[in-house]
Amino acid sequence: MTLGTVDDGLESGPGTLSRQDLLALHRTMLRIRHFELAGAKQLATGKLSGTLHLSVGQEATATGVCSQLRADDYVTSTHRGHGHCLAKGADPRLMMAELFGASAGYCKGRSGSMHIADASSGLLGANGIVGGGIPMAVGAGLSASVRGTDQVAVCFFGEGAAGEGTLHESLNLAALWQLPVVFVCENNRYAELSPIADVLAAQRVADLAAPFGIPSRTDDGNDIVAVVEAIRWALSRARGGQGPVLLEFETYRQSGHFEGDAQTYRSKDERDHWLGRDPLLLSEQRLHDLEIEQDILGQIADEAAQEMLDAADWASDQPPAPALSMTEDVYHPEPEPGLTRERA
Ligand SMILES: Cc1ncc(C[n+]2csc(CCOP(=O)(O)OP(=O)(O)O)c2C)c(N)n1
């Protein structure tokens, strides 16, 4: 669709974002929401096997952060990475094909949901290893620094990953070498089934940056404008040669840890509270305040839903990757002369 109906004579929205910007952000959040819902539907109807880690409720963090990145900036993601990939510019059809294990997918059907990568959009990979993407972003930041570019590397991670050694090693090196890395914690309050207080000694993830002299802040991760403001601050430092930054965003995973999770570990009251703070709801309220008509919002939502249903339909028709292709394109060094592969 064209947003031409609100294009003319735009006033500035809050936080130096125009109404057009806010609509574009809203649209990206809707595309993420509907990608997740379309994937869940494929699972529920048995067309897709395995499970998925959905990011329903966390759309504002992926959208806000990636909206301020350049195409050549790097992103590393997590097991809950669909939103990060979409927001960084990945094609939902090629992502969906990965969920189906189809050769047409970004990684020829070998990545599944948790390891989608697309170098052409700077996506160095989602990652099923909790904390695994964090040092990769430091490597990407080091590469940018050595090559003398002004690219930035962003790693998304959860508060559960904040207890992993990889975060602390990565903060150390990024600070020591003053690398252009933005550490982005999506604190969705639960690591699998464990509340944050059971897994992290620090009061806040943002506090973990202080020993390394890294500036940090905690913001509302469900408010798209707050996310954009925070990442703009972080990027002005990281791209400006002032070294790494850590952003913590408070948010809530509305979906289970995985599709099929009975979610007995949280109360209805808690859930209801956060449903009232749904990032799409908050964004819609703001757009209403800016006098954007409901018809326009409805049209954007319908288009996002249709796009993702079509992507799922298309992907489900793609031929699965042949089993024997599994070892193709996988790094395995040749054995030294005189050694057989078995002995090497
Ligand atoms: C190194 C490693 N340890 C444990 C796991 C099992 N595991 C998968 S998801 C998860 C919780 C991660 O929590 P968090 O980092 O907060 O991300 P969220 O699931 O909340 O998005 C764990 C422990 C894993 N995949 N990798």
Side-chain angles (χ1 to χ4, degrees), residues 22-105:
L22 290 166
L23 270 171
L25 292 164
H26 189 70
R27 178 170 179 272
T28 302
M29 290 196 284
L30 279 165
R31 291 180 72 238
I32 296 173
R33 173 73 54 96
H34 285 290
F35 183 94
E36 301 296 49
L37 296 179
K41 188 173 169 198
Q42 298 296 314
L43 269 182
T45 53
K47 285 190 172 175
L48 196 61
S49 54
T51 189
L52 296 173
H53 302 84
L54 303 182
S55 62
V56 174
Q58 301 181 204
E59 294 86 353
T61 46
T63 301
V65 168
C66 292
S67 72
Q68 303 302 304
L69 297 181
R70 292 194 326 221
D72 65 343
D73 287 332
Y74 299 109
V75 164
T76 66
S77 173
T78 70
H79 54 288
R80 203 176 301 289
H82 302 158
H84 310 142
C85 297
L86 278 171
K88 188 66 172 61
D91 181 335
R93 296 201 310 170
L94 305 190
M95 287 173 57
M96 208 56 97
E98 279 306 323
L99 273 49
F100 280 94
S103 304

